[in-house]
Amino acid sequence: MHANETRTDAALVRRLLAAQFPAWAELPVEPVGSHGTVNAIYRLGADLAVRLPRIEGGSKDVATEHRWLPRLAEHLPFPVPVPLAAGVPAEGYPWSWSVCRWIDGDNPAAGSGGAGFAADIAEFVLALRRADTTDAPPAYRSEPLAARDTATREALDALDGVIDTTAAAGVWSDALRAPDQQGPAVWVHGDLQPGNVLVSGGRLSAVIDFGCMGLADPAVDLIAGWYLLPAGARRVFRTEVGADGAEWARGRGWALSVALMELSYYRTSNPVMATTARHVIGEILAEAD
């Protein structure tokens, strides 16, 4: 998936556990079929999961998650994967890694959430925004939307002939004209898309993979509206989070920028991510018609 990706397998996980966390070394280890782009996931026994970053950038998330997820979890209305242990490079594996609780649930299909799910996502977003920001780090997507202009237009150029780049460029230009954020930065998850949420019975059951978390424009988490919800439920989500016109326009810009870059990067290496990105772009362009 990545040119510089570190390969892992269950045997490596067993060696790492035996050397660093022997109390868990005898538990069965099974790879988890995942289309995630940052971590390889292994189920450890019935109740645990091992997360091995694929690239160096993912390794840097381990310390952030271990520091902040336990503090945030007690204020959030849905389960999150609080880390239990942090591993160090060993056995030929070069990055930090982690063990956390396994959380049951399924990833939803892109744009499949109903009104109840939309209200759940809004509840999570609002609770996260209320968390204390003292000493909190910047989010992975903490830059102003305009700072993504060059990279977004490079993705548009790469997708010429793949999507309607003229229409997408028009929507992107509209987003850049939206007024900037006026209030303080707040806690955001930073990547609310299908692979990072779990559902049960059509309702949100957990939010996972907080590698992008930190302080940013609250509009960043509005990408959930296009990644997770169809038009009707998206209106419910907007109402519940109380997004005004400027914030919603920035959120649409964030969703478009992220989806364009994902489709450009993963078009041939990760079909699931690419399909999700195409869906998001299609939803946004349909709104613009």
Side-chain angles (χ1 to χ4, degrees):
M1 192 183 318
H2 306 288
N4 57 341
E5 183 172 332
T6 299
R7 303 297 178 182
T8 66
D9 56 26
L12 170 63
V13 174
R14 294 188 188 98
R15 294 197 304 272
L16 289 168
L17 290 169
Q20 299 182 39
F21 305 112
W24 293 325
E26 300 304 316
L27 294 175
V29 176
E30 296 291 338
V32 176
S34 169
H35 303 288
T37 62
V38 178
N39 295 285
I41 310 297
Y42 294 84
R43 190 161 186 175
L44 177 61
D47 302 317
L48 303 174
V50 176
R51 302 170 76 235
L52 298 182
R54 301 174 186 271
I55 55 177
E56 183 179 7
S59 177
K60 295 176 181 177
D61 298 335
V62 173
T64 301
E65 291 174 349
H66 275 256
R67 178 179 180 185
W68 291 104
L69 267 180
R71 304 186 193 189
L72 292 172
E74 62 188 50
H75 302 293
L76 298 176
F78 298 94
V80 299
V82 175
L84 300 176
V88 298
E91 303 296 322
Y93 179 75
W95 316 122
S96 300
W97 52 284
S98 62
V99 180
C100 60
R101 291 289 180 194
W102 176 265
I103 303 176
D104 285 322
D106 299 306
N107 297 127
S112 64
F117 178 70
D120 293 340
I121 289 290
E123 182 183 2
F124 170 82
V125 166
L126 291 174
L128 189 55
R129 290 180 182 181
R130 290 191 294 267
D132 184 6
T133 60
T134 303
D135 296 327
Y140 173 69
R141 293 173 174 143
S142 60
E143 72 273 24
L145 197 61
R148 298 174 66 87
D149 188 44
T150 297
T152 300
R153 294 189 187 280
E154 288 174 351
L156 280 166
D157 289 343
L159 294 171
D160 189 30
V162 178
I163 64 168
D164 185 345
T165 53
T166 299
V171 174
W172 175 243
S173 294
D174 288 344
L176 292 179
R177 287 191 286 270
D180 293 335
Q181 176 194 7
Q182 298 302 307
V186 298
W187 273 103
V188 300
H189 176 278
D191 202 23
L192 289 173
Q193 56 174 294
N196 295 334
V197 300
L198 299 176
V199 297
S200 178
R203 301 300 293 263
L204 182 66
S205 60
V207 179
I208 58 177
D209 199 342
F210 281 72
C212 294
M213 70 177 174
L215 300 186
D217 179 352
V220 170
D221 274 347
L222 298 184
I223 70 170
W226 292 271
Y227 271 87
L228 299 172
L229 305 169
R234 193 155 55 242
R235 288 191 289 272
V236 173
F237 175 65
R238 178 178 178 177
T239 298
E240 293 291 325
V241 297
D244 62 19
E247 185 178 310
W248 193 249
R250 294 196 308 275
R252 183 186 296 110
W254 273 103
L256 179 60
S257 177
V258 172
L260 289 170
M261 292 186 195
E262 287 177 341
L263 182 55
S264 174
Y265 188 86
Y266 294 114
R267 187 155 60 96
T268 59
S269 63
N270 189 324
V272 171
M273 289 289 291
T275 298
T276 296
R278 282 181 182 271
H279 169 83
V280 172
I281 295 165
E283 288 288 292
I284 291 171
L285 297 189
E287 286 184 342
D289 287 346

